[in-house]
Amino acid sequence: MENETSFFARWWDATSKSQTAHRGESIPSLIIKGLQSMLVMFGATIIVPLTLGMSPQVTLFGMGIGTWIFLLLTKGKSPLTMGSSFAFMIGVLGVIDPVAGPFANGNYTHDERLAYALGGILAAGVVYMFFSILVKFIGADKFMRILPHAVTGPTVVLIGVTLAPHAVNQFSTNWILGPLTLIIIVAVMMFGRGRMQAFPILIGLAGAYLVAVIMSVAGAESAAGYALIDFSAVSNARLFGLPPFMTPRFALAPILMLAPFSLATVSENIADHVIVGQEMGEDLLRGKPGLSRTLFADGLQSMCVAAFGTPMNTTYSENVGLLIITKVFSSVVVAIGAGFAVILGLSPAFAEVVRSIPVSIIGGASIMLYGMIASIGMRNVKEHVDLNLEKYLIIMSVMLVTGIGMRFGTPIVIEIAESNVRLDRMNLPVAIILGVLLNAVLPNQKKNNA
């Protein structure tokens, strides 16, 4: 008993806001806030597996398990929820590309290509471990100077811009449901009242899906001539059951393609903790839990859930936005929200409902999501970057042109281990590496306005 008490005493910190923010709350109140925490994340989280052709059931289950692991490793001192990374979605799309990806010779199924992508995600988790060790040795301040806002801001812009074509392609598959989804989301964001404004993506998806159900019952068909929504899979699915787990496979090409994307999610981890720490009045990176621990926890939880088929998990901006709006910085609330995600992940019937959402609806929501990602990156630059420094103008110029030019210019293909690897699919890590190098070698010189 004494050992158990000692362990709890080491884990518990009465001075931590996220460990004590739930005090005075009733159990029903905590449950409702936990459900809200999950629902805010839900709309964006399911877009990743639906775009990649992965299981939303596994993704939700992994979102919950990953969040629990993160909370445990950070000792409950970081009230952040884990969710599917849009940055890594760029890399995974390159790995699973059946036409120009490293496994495009026709001998691989979609699920087999996804399995190799999971192997690459596990490798990215190892890179996270390396960064965590590096921070332990050099300190958080020196590490964050390697990734200043002049690098992280353009990185976020490039994520939104690179994903933009996928949103437009999905949006244009149905010129009723795509625009309707976007209109509902914009209306909620602009004119919603109270808690409605916390759920624009979820309300947009649900509202457009309801219209799609009505259209389907009335006989509407997709452009391919199929029923707009196929309810047969929903009716045949069990209410509860284990998710369709997937085992990772390993090959050099997807590892080289995906591991560098950890630079983007490390930047996101830092930015999210800076923002939340400012709102909480605590320094989560230099104090407790500390940058080394948050990176270690983020990387390890992602490796654990990728091992059974979850896309790359990382800290999530939607969760950060909710924390800022509600001021509920409670790790207990986050843990309850993760529990709801696990429960939904154990329902094949619910997963089939999610899978039945028409692609055009996903596209309508994605236009807003990807646009917001790019806009947040531009706002980050405006608020935190001194544009009077020639150094930062050069860094951002090189990163943006390289990132956009590589992705949408002539494909750059090299052969690695008898597989063709398209470097243009690695536009994001290449741009980040260039930004880091330029930041290290260029002097801090003011513009000459004479």
Side-chain angles (χ1 to χ4, degrees), residues 14-292:
T15 65
S16 170
K17 190 167 185 177
S18 61
Q19 282 194 356
T20 58
H22 62 279
R23 285 181 174 174
E25 293 272 4
S26 65
I27 292 179
S29 175
L30 290 173
I31 291 174
I32 291 171
K33 289 180 177 178
L35 177 61
Q36 175 178 257
S37 174
M38 188 277 297
L39 290 176
V40 167
M41 300 276 293
F42 178 83
T45 296
I46 64 168
I47 285 177
V48 174
L50 291 178
T51 300
L52 298 177
M54 303 182 79
S55 167
Q57 189 182 357
V58 174
T59 301
L60 288 170
F61 185 82
M63 170 185 163
I65 297 296
T67 299
W68 282 342
I69 294 173
F70 181 81
L71 291 174
L72 178 65
L73 294 177
T74 58
K75 300 184 176 182
K77 296 175 183 178
S78 173
L80 296 181
T81 305
M82 301 295 105
S84 302
S85 168
F86 285 102
F88 265 83
M89 187 165 71
I90 297 171
V92 174
L93 284 168
V95 172
I96 67 175
D97 188 337
V99 176
F103 307 103
N105 58 15
N107 296 328
Y108 299 89
T109 66
H110 178 74
D111 283 350
E112 287 173 336
R113 291 193 292 270
L114 282 174
Y116 281 110
L118 290 173
I121 291 172
L122 280 168
V126 175
V127 177
Y128 255 92
M129 301 294 107
F130 168 77
F131 284 136
S132 174
I133 295 171
L134 181 62
V135 172
K136 195 73 174 176
F137 278 100
I138 70 174
D141 284 322
K142 288 184 178 179
F143 184 81
M144 287 189 288
R145 282 199 291 270
I146 298 173
L147 289 168
H149 290 289
V151 174
T152 58
T155 298
V156 177
V157 172
L158 284 171
I159 293 172
V161 170
T162 302
L163 289 172
H166 299 287
V168 173
N169 290 339
Q170 293 173 325
F171 178 90
S172 61
T173 57
N174 187 299
W175 288 103
I176 295 177
L177 296 176
L180 176 63
T181 307
L182 184 57
I183 289 170
I184 294 174
I185 292 172
V186 171
V188 173
M189 292 178 68
M190 291 296 298
F191 308 111
R193 295 289 181 267
R195 295 189 181 275
M196 278 186 67
Q197 287 192 320
F199 305 100
I201 302 298
L202 184 63
I203 294 173
L205 291 173
Y209 185 77
L210 178 61
V211 173
V213 170
I214 296 172
M215 291 172 62
S216 187
V217 171
E221 296 182 342
S222 66
Y226 300 108
L228 196 58
I229 297 179
D230 184 5
F231 297 102
S232 60
V234 178
S235 60
N236 293 330
R238 292 174 298 163
L239 184 59
F240 291 106
L242 288 175
F245 297 126
M246 182 179 291
T247 303
R249 295 186 178 187
F250 298 93
L252 182 60
I255 289 175
L256 292 177
M257 289 178 68
L258 289 177
F261 278 88
S262 59
L263 286 167
T265 46
V266 164
S267 301
E268 189 174 7
N269 182 299
I270 292 173
D272 288 343
H273 278 95
V274 167
I275 294 169
V276 173
Q278 289 174 346
E279 293 292 324
M280 292 173 61
E282 296 181 3
D283 192 338
L284 300 178
L285 298 183
R286 298 175 184 84
K288 297 179 180 179
L291 179 58
S292 177

Side-chain angles (χ1 to χ4, degrees), residues 251-253 415-421:
L252 182 60
E415 186 172 322
I416 297 178
E418 300 183 354
S419 298
N420 289 328
V421 176

